[in-house]
């Protein structure tokens, strides 16, 4: 096998990404468009490469958070539609046109502003409108009558999508999602009655797809997490997931040095670990500056020579120490697995997140650019 010449790297499986996409595709069926969410550099997987893989698999829509992310995809030659979900500022209007990006608007003021801009450019621009149905974040709280007026007045805009976003779609113990769906239906039905209906209606991220909440699919869904191989654990009595996905990313780091230390040795900054017996330790070429959470100090694990072994002491900026007493064959240059599997042992981003007191999304997005992405 060819040696990967990096001290730490993330191996992303194109095949897994494609398979996860098809799992979503097949679950929702041909009548539902899938907008692949590749924001935040595709949750750390690399948005350009992931989008290329998905475009080759037939993806027609991508969704990003900001204009810059959309520009990056266009400049890389991605030709599909790109929805910019959370970035409407006056200074980026020109880029929306130049790079054929489709904005999500969150206020009727933005709608009027974009219309004036489109008129000044003598062009017509598509947009999606987000309504706040109870998440209390982005999205307009205006009523249907007001929205319909603004849309009818916008002579240089095309009302292409109506959307909302759920706050707690994996939580089956509370009615928030039902309430949001009811609030959405009320606005969208009224808009229809007032004669404005968009091409796409969408509200589902991974969870409502995974748990088969068909009423939330309409004719477009916006999966992110699932594409990378994750479904959130449900709270309460959730239906069995309809998606079959598996993690696409494995994170590795090489051993810089190994050594035997006597009982009583203190390991790393602050001396927060004390060897209770003679031990063999390995120092890894990865640290919190690579995105390995400092909160895993003295509590996280990695997979070394097929075994789960503990992280010893504080995680440093650039190095991390582990206990390899039970895997003495390991040497400097060998790689260990931070995320992924070796044989039957595995650590996924959800498990790492639980240990670090965060969520899998944060773990994946937190893998820094210094960690080289390798596509396999
Ligand atoms: C991030 C995001 C998604 C994707 O969410 P996942 O839980 O990763 O599937 C969908 N829609 C919006 C508006 C988002 O911000």
């Amino acid at each position: 096998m060819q040696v990967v010449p990096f001290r730490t790297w993330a191996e992303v499986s194109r095949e897994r990404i494609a398979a996860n996409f098809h799992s979503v595709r097949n679950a929702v069926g041909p009548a539902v468009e899938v907008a692949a969410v590749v924001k935040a550099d595709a949750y750390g997987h690399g948005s350009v490469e992931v989008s290329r893989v998905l475009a080759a698999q037939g993806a027609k829509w991508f969704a990003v958070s900001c204009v810059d992310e959309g520009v990056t995809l266009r400049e890389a030659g991605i030709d599909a539609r790109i929805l910019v979900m959370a970035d409407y500022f006056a200074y980026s209007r020109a880029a929306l046109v130049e790079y054929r990006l489709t904005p999500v608007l969150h206020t009727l003021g933005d709608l009027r502003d974009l219309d004036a801009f489109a008129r000044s450019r003598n062009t017509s621009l598509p947009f999606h409108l987000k309504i706040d149905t109870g998440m209390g974040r982005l999205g307009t709280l205006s009523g249907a009558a007001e929205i319909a007026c603004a849309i009818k007045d916008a002579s240089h805009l095309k009302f292409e999508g109506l959307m909302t976003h759920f706050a707690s779609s994996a939580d089956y113990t509370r009615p928030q999602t039902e309430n949001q769906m009811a609030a959405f239906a009320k606005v969208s039905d009224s808009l229809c009655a007032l004669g404005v209906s968009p091409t796409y209606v969408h509200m589902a991220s991974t969870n409502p797809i995974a748990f088969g909440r068909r009423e939330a699919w309409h004719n477009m869904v916006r999966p992110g997490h699932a594409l990378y191989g994750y479904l959130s654990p449900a709270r309460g009595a959730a239906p069995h997931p309809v998606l079959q996905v598996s993690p696409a990313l494995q994170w590795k780091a090489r051993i810089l040095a190994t050594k035997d230390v006597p009982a009583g040795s203190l390991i790393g900054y602050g001396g927060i670990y004390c060897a209770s017996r003679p031990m063999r330790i390995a120092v890894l070429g990865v640290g919190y500056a690579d995105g390995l959470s400092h909160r895993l100090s003295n509590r996280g694990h990695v997979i070394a020579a097929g075994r789960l072994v503990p992280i010893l002491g504080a995680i440093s900026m650039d190095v991390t120490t582990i206990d390899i007493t039970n895997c003495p064959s390991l040497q400097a240059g060998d790689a260990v697995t931070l995320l992924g599997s070796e044989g039957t042992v595995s650590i996924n981003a959800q498990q790492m997140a639980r240990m670090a007191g965060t969520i899998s999304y944060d773990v994946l997005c937190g893998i820094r650019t210094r960690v080289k992405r390798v596509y396999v």
Side-chain angles (χ1 to χ4, degrees):
M1 219 175 92
Q2 210 183 338
V3 175
V4 178
F6 304 128
R7 73 203 291 271
T8 178
W9 71 98
E11 229 166 73
V12 179
S13 162
R14 294 186 175 99
E15 218 169 276
R16 286 274 175 92
I17 297 273
N20 294 339
F21 174 72
H22 286 297
S23 179
V24 172
R25 248 294 31 128
N26 295 338
V28 299
V32 179
E33 190 59 81
V34 177
V37 178
V38 294
K39 64 191 180 189
D41 206 20
Y43 296 36
H45 294 62
S47 65
V48 167
E49 199 57 41
V50 166
S51 300
R52 282 183 183 147
V53 168
L54 294 179
Q57 299 297 321
K60 301 273 183 298
W61 279 85
F62 293 100
V64 294
S65 282
C66 57
V67 168
D68 273 354
E69 293 176 333
V71 170
T72 299
L73 295 185
R74 276 287 178 260
E75 287 187 333
I78 299 295
D79 196 44
R81 295 292 302 276
I82 298 175
L83 187 67
V84 178
M85 298 191 295
D87 188 26
Y88 182 80
F89 294 105
Y91 58 73
S92 52
R93 286 178 309 209
L96 292 174
V97 178
E98 187 178 347
Y99 293 92
R100 291 181 291 121
L101 308 176
T102 306
V104 171
L105 303 181
H106 304 101
T107 72
L108 300 186
D110 287 346
L111 202 158
R112 287 185 277 269
D113 176 77
L114 187 65
D115 182 49
F117 178 75
R119 186 178 308 122
S120 76
R121 290 291 188 99
N122 207 7
T123 183
S124 173
L125 300 174
F127 73 97
H128 292 217
L129 180 68
K130 188 176 197 173
I131 58 176
D132 181 358
T133 52
M135 179 158 185
R137 208 180 58 175
L138 287 171
T140 179
L141 288 167
S142 300
E146 226 185 323
I147 294 173
C149 274
I151 289 173
K152 285 177 179 170
D153 285 348
S155 55
H156 287 70
L157 299 184
K158 179 178 174 338
F159 179 38
E160 191 185 31
L162 183 70
M163 65 185 282
T164 193
H165 192 48
F166 294 124
S168 56
S169 53
D171 188 349
Y172 280 77
T173 67
R174 299 191 311 150
Q176 191 177 12
T177 305
E178 272 78 24
N179 294 346
Q180 286 196 255
M181 286 197 290
F184 187 83
K186 193 161 160 244
V187 175
S188 109
D189 292 350
S190 306
L191 285 178
C192 270
L194 292 164
V196 282
S197 39
T199 313
Y200 294 107
V201 175
H202 50 113
M203 56 204 316
S205 58
T206 292
N207 293 331
I209 307 169
F211 297 119
R213 218 192 269 266
R214 284 162 208 280
E215 327 81 82
W217 294 353
H218 297 278
N219 63 353
M220 181 181 264
V221 293
R222 309 184 305 263
H225 215 208
L227 300 178
Y228 310 105
Y230 291 92
L231 308 178
S232 296
R235 298 193 64 198
H240 197 70
V242 301
L243 297 181
Q244 279 268 326
V245 295
S246 50
L249 179 149
Q250 302 212 70
W251 185 5
K252 312 263 188 182
R254 287 195 191 283
I255 295 172
L256 284 163
T258 62
K259 69 179 146 193
D260 295 302
V261 299
S265 298
L266 300 179
I267 308 292
Y269 281 122
I272 61 169
Y273 183 84
C274 177
S276 56
R277 51 181 163 78
M279 295 178 96
R280 188 162 177 78
I281 63 170
V283 181
L284 307 177
V286 65
Y288 61 76
D290 299 290
L292 188 63
S293 173
H294 186 263
R295 289 173 152 193
L296 295 170
S297 295
N298 249 347
R299 49 189 318 220
H301 291 82
V302 308
I303 307 169
R307 293 166 180 266
L308 213 52
V309 309
I311 291 172
L312 304 178
I315 290 177
S316 304
M317 188 182 291
D318 307 304
V319 299
T320 296
T321 305
I322 59 171
D323 177 3
I324 56 161
T325 308
N326 294 321
C327 15
S329 65
L330 286 172
Q331 304 172 15
D334 289 345
V336 306
T337 300
L338 310 179
L339 281 179
S341 57
E342 292 185 18
T344 57
V345 187
S346 70
I347 302 176
N348 66 37
Q350 282 164 331
Q351 293 164 326
M352 183 182 272
R354 215 168 300 130
M355 276 284 186
T358 182
I359 56 174
S360 50
Y361 294 74
D362 184 29
V363 165
L364 294 172
C365 296
I367 304 173
R368 305 280 168 85
T369 49
R370 191 167 75 172
V371 180
K372 298 290 189 300
R373 268 57 172 184
V374 176
Y375 296 90
V376 297

